[in-house]
Amino acid sequence: MKTYEAMLLLDNREVKKGWDSLKEKVDGVFKKHGAEIIVAKRWDERKLAYEIKKQRRATYYLAYIKASPDSLAKLNFDFKLAEPVLRHLLLKVDEVPAEAFEPEKEFQVEASTEEETGASEKTEKPEEELTSEGESLAVDVVAEVVSASEVEVIEESVEGSTEASLEAEDEGSSPLSEGETKND
Amino acid sequence: MAYGNKKFRRFGSEASNVKPDGELDYKNIPYLSSLMSPQFRIYPRKRTGFSGKDQRKLKRAIKRARFLALIPYTS
């Protein structure tokens, strides 16, 4: 029996369904292959540096286990198949670090905020994109309206005299060009 | 360092004995990030000043952290 460190990336959708049941499921995989769990805790819930299986966030689960070297291949195989596990890493360690025995930090708080942050970020990002797009669209619309109104005013003055129409055309071209620069 | 042997001479600065300020572990993200460029490239030994042994530890830790999406592969 040797000591190993296992880091698992768990799908947040599964975490939201219930942490305890998921923990049981994951620990069950360890136990199935005769591994003895020394410490197992949720390490962090964070944004991933890149998407894994279309997921932007994940819960990190850190476990220290005692297992026979033969069972490692089976554990690796099972974690690869397990759907809630996005990714996993099994490493040999000489001894369990002292930090591992510290209780989970702010588990309850993060568990409650986790869903909020996870959900809010998912909703916030599209909103931000929408607002930025909306603002730019609004600016475009305003620029078009301004140029259109100016053109109308000019056209009204055009009806007065033919001489003014030449000037009006010159004027009419300049606001349009301004509108184009505003669009840019 | 063997400065007499031209083949194995390290260019740049003289050999230094910088020891890591923290644990070179894949979970120690703030410290690992300090040993990487803003584009998340690992600083060379010339920059870190680590021994070959420590530099290999750093390499391993960063590559593990990348695998677990704790650090990006590229920016």
Side-chain angles (χ1 to χ4, degrees), chain A residues 102-117:
Chain A
E102 290 171 10
E104 284 174 342
K105 281 173 193 169
E106 301 153 25
F107 176 74
Q108 290 298 329
V109 181
E110 281 186 43
S112 59
T113 54
E114 175 194 315
E115 289 178 22
E116 288 168 14
T117 52

Side-chain angles (χ1 to χ4, degrees), chain A residues 106-173:
Chain A
E106 301 153 25
F107 176 74
Q108 290 298 329
V109 181
E110 281 186 43
S112 59
T113 54
E114 175 194 315
E115 289 178 22
E116 288 168 14
T117 52
S120 65
E121 281 214 355
K122 273 170 195 168
T123 52
E124 268 171 17
K125 276 187 180 170
E127 272 175 14
E128 280 170 11
E129 283 167 11
L130 278 173
T131 50
S132 60
E133 280 172 12
E135 277 168 13
S136 61
L137 279 172
V139 168
D140 289 351
V141 167
V142 166
E144 279 173 15
V145 165
V146 165
S147 59
S149 63
E150 279 174 4
V151 167
E152 277 174 12
V153 169
I154 289 154
E155 279 175 0
E156 279 174 9
S157 65
V158 165
E159 287 171 5
S161 64
T162 52
E163 284 177 5
S165 69
L166 289 168
E167 289 172 12
E169 274 177 7
D170 292 341
E171 281 173 10
S173 63

Side-chain angles (χ1 to χ4, degrees), chain A residues 5 7 9 43 46 48-50 52 60 62 64 87-89 91, chain B residues 23 25-29 64-73:
Chain A
E5 178 184 299
M7 182 70 99
L9 268 71
W43 184 64
R46 58 158 60 214
L48 300 175
Y50 49 89
I52 298 176
Y60 286 76
L62 180 66
Y64 288 92
R87 198 163 276 196
H88 71 279
L89 183 67
L91 296 173
Chain B
E23 207 181 342
D25 184 76
Y26 70 91
K27 297 189 287 298
N28 196 353
I29 309 301
R64 278 170 185 168
R66 280 175 178 168
F67 174 70
L68 292 170
L70 296 166
I71 298 175
Y73 280 98

Side-chain angles (χ1 to χ4, degrees), chain A residues 67-86:
Chain A
S68 67
D70 304 331
S71 65
L72 271 205
K74 292 172 193 164
L75 279 174
N76 270 324
F77 182 75
D78 270 13
F79 282 133
K80 261 196 172 168
L81 290 186
E83 286 200 10
V85 180
L86 299 176

Side-chain angles (χ1 to χ4, degrees), chain A residues 41-53:
Chain A
K41 65 171 182 178
R42 212 185 63 142
W43 184 64
D44 202 357
E45 196 280 329
R46 58 158 60 214
K47 199 180 168 204
L48 300 175
Y50 49 89
E51 283 184 23
I52 298 176
K53 293 184 186 169

